[in-house]
Amino acid sequence: MGIWIINAQVVAAGNELSKKHILLEGNTIEKMIDAAGALPETAGHTVIDAAGKLVTPGLIDMHVHLREPGFEHKETIASGTRSAARGGFTTIACMPNTRPVIDTVETVKYVLDKAETEGIVRVLPYGCITKNELGRELTDFDALKQAGAIGFTDDGVGVQSAQMMKDAMAKAASIGLPIIAHCEDNTLVEGAWASEGEFSRKHGLKAIPNESEAIHVGRDVLLAEATGVHYHVCHVSTEQSVRLIRHAKQFGIKVTAEVCPHHLLLSDEDIPGLDDANWKMNPPLRTPKDVQACIEGLLDGTIDILVTDHAPHSEEEKAKGVNLAPFGIVGFETAFPLLYTKFIATGQWTLQFLVDKMTSLPAQVFGLPLGTLEVGKEADITIIDLNTEKAVDPAEFASKGRNTPFIGWNLKGWPTHTIVGGQVVWSES
């Protein structure tokens, strides 16, 4: 039985909306008709009345942590995909820093099989660059690609050896897959959790300098130029990184980049103190200058896409305090509302800009046949209420993780329905 979405408000251009009736048959968008006239004949179909709501292509998140296998107390593929669906995401790409890490055909297949049987959104796994993410020996890129890996990353740690990274890039380029880099020079970060800025100075903390990220970005864009690989920079957070990526793009180097909502909305000066590890993340919150640089980089296309870096941890782990707690915050269920409330409702960005950065552009960057509302395309749809305001309440999350610094924030732009391949996988009712 197909689905008619009637009275849908879809983005036409900028902030302009057009009203459409959309028919989904099987896993395909069958029709999109102007809603100015009479309602279509809907007998024999499920009907979703989207009056007053925004209808977009399914949101795409190319940087998430599902924690399974090995860390099921933090998250599972089942709970993580349900959390993604509540956030409006229909496709997510999971990082390989699980236990065991995703460095073999068997672990790639494990994730894909689990996603097929227990997940409710599309899951695309990355494979590791190096075995066990130790930076010593490359994984079998050919076999991982054949098994279903969509790219290679040691996210969670930076590849410290330039030669190892160059070899990885050359191999990835030869088989047409990207290198996705967590940029972090270990010699500059050991024993620190806060960025070098006002907060660390105020509290007398050993700090993480911006160069810890930017040094790897600078090194890697030169290696990408030499090898011709598609090089993608994870969770950009510093002004220097933005500057280096912009420069690389000007020279025609095949580099793309992503940024997370928290690095656009928060700085180190927002951290309330030393008691709440929900403000501990990697990369850490940077200075207001860095926040502005990331916003400007997103606006001018230096940074291509938005991601969440959804990183759930247990309440017990985060309760250990800032020195002992793990890095990371959850992001699926607050991403669109945060960005909509901060940047669209205030008139800083257009609605089309935000939607594109979370749908069509991630699909373009990673070569996915997704991310558009067009007849004949995949019926991945997100329906969003732009008007109802409610507070962020982690107790309502579908994720096992409750670790967010946004508790109590009043936001608009909450998803109400998520449709994957023509099937409603989540609705608020």
Side-chain angles (χ1 to χ4, degrees):
M1 185 167 61
I3 299 172
W4 270 108
I5 304 171
I6 61 172
N7 303 312
Q9 300 282 343
V10 303
V11 178
N15 285 319
E16 185 180 334
L17 299 174
S18 63
K19 196 173 179 181
K20 302 286 185 182
H21 303 312
I22 304 170
L23 174 62
L24 312 180
E25 292 282 8
N27 63 353
T28 303
I29 300 174
E30 185 72 17
K31 292 181 183 178
M32 289 183 65
I33 60 176
D34 190 84
L39 285 173
E41 176 55 54
T42 60
H45 294 79
T46 298
V47 177
I48 299 173
D49 190 349
K53 295 185 174 67
L54 176 69
V55 175
T56 74
L59 305 184
I60 298 171
D61 189 348
M62 296 305 297
H63 188 143
V64 317
H65 298 269
L66 296 179
R67 303 302 190 199
E68 189 177 8
F71 298 115
E72 288 84 356
H73 65 288
K74 301 173 187 279
E75 191 80 287
T76 63
I77 290 170
S79 66
T81 57
R82 279 157 180 74
S83 179
R86 280 183 67 99
F89 292 98
T90 57
T91 298
I92 58 177
C94 61
M95 290 296 171
N97 56 337
T98 49
R99 288 295 180 272
V101 298
I102 305 175
D103 64 354
T104 64
V105 167
E106 289 73 24
T107 47
V108 172
K109 288 183 175 179
Y110 174 89
V111 170
L112 289 172
D113 289 346
K114 274 276 187 174
E116 179 68 25
T117 58
E118 299 181 16
I120 63 170
V121 305
R122 189 177 293 101
V123 175
L124 308 175
Y126 292 117
C128 293
I129 293 173
T130 66
K131 293 182 179 180
N132 291 312
E133 291 196 331
L134 294 175
R136 298 170 184 163
E137 183 181 358
L138 292 182
T139 57
D140 187 338
F141 283 20
D142 294 289
L144 292 174
K145 177 183 179 180
Q146 188 67 29
I150 63 162
F152 306 101
T153 180
D154 276 2
D155 186 59
V157 292
V159 175
Q160 301 302 302
S161 163
Q163 185 63 59
M164 185 65 65
M165 182 58 101
K166 187 175 183 180
D167 291 346
M169 288 182 173
K171 181 59 183 176
S174 74
I175 61 173
L177 286 185
I179 290 290
I180 298 91
H182 175 112
C183 293
E184 186 173 39
D185 186 309
N186 289 350
T187 63
L188 292 171
V189 303
E190 191 172 351
W193 67 269
S195 186
E196 198 172 73
E198 185 61 33
F199 180 82
S200 60
R201 286 191 291 270
K202 175 182 175 182
H203 293 279
L205 301 175
K206 181 178 180 181
I208 300 174
N210 283 14
E211 304 86 71
S212 63
E213 175 180 288
I215 283 172
H216 271 203
V217 174
R219 177 198 73 177
D220 289 353
V221 295
L222 294 173
L223 298 178
E225 181 180 34
T227 59
V229 77
H230 172 197
Y231 169 64
H232 182 78
V233 186
C234 287
H235 42 48
V236 172
S237 68
T238 74
E239 182 275 331
Q240 293 93 327
S241 295
V242 174
R243 184 159 26 101
L244 287 163
I245 295 164
R246 183 179 290 120
H247 186 71
K249 286 190 170 189
Q250 290 170 351
F251 276 82
I253 301 171
K254 193 174 182 182
V255 55
T256 56
E258 66 189 37
V259 68
C260 307
H262 46 274
H263 289 125
L264 300 174
L265 274 74
L266 301 172
S267 77
D268 66 320
E269 295 181 13
D270 295 307
I271 303 173
L274 299 174
D275 298 327
D276 188 351
N278 286 331
W279 295 78
K280 181 180 180 180
M281 59 206 71
N282 191 14
L285 296 176
R286 306 288 188 177
T287 69
K289 178 182 177 183
D290 295 305
V291 172
Q292 188 57 39
C294 288
I295 293 171
E296 291 173 2
L298 191 69
L299 286 170
D300 70 16
T302 299
I303 298 174
D304 301 83
I305 65 173
L306 290 156
V307 301
T308 67
D309 193 8
H310 176 79
H313 296 289
S314 71
E315 292 183 65
E316 293 76 16
E317 288 168 319
K318 278 295 191 179
K320 292 179 179 178
V322 291
N323 291 320
L324 297 177
F327 292 93
I329 64 172
V330 292
F332 283 144
E333 298 175 54
T334 56
F336 193 92
L338 282 167
L339 293 164
Y340 178 81
T341 303
K342 170 66 175 179
F343 296 107
I344 310 303
T346 59
Q348 298 180 58
W349 300 351
T350 66
L351 190 54
Q352 181 179 31
F353 178 82
L354 175 59
V355 170
D356 287 350
K357 290 290 187 180
M358 299 183 77
T359 58
S360 60
L361 290 172
Q364 288 174 29
V365 165
F366 286 91
L368 307 175
L370 304 167
T372 59
L373 272 183
E374 296 177 16
V375 172
K377 299 296 187 179
E378 189 77 17
D380 287 2
I381 307 285
T382 303
I383 304 177
I384 301 168
D385 180 354
L386 299 181
N387 300 309
T388 301
E389 183 173 283
K390 66 176 182 178
V392 175
D393 181 3
E396 297 181 354
F397 289 171
S399 173
K400 286 188 175 186
R402 303 287 186 263
N403 45 308
T404 175
F406 298 110
I407 297 170
W409 283 41
N410 290 309
L411 306 174
K412 294 181 179 181
W414 296 94
T416 63
H417 298 74
T418 303
I419 300 170
V420 179
Q423 301 292 317
V424 178
V425 298
W426 176 79
S427 69
E428 66 174 359
S429 57

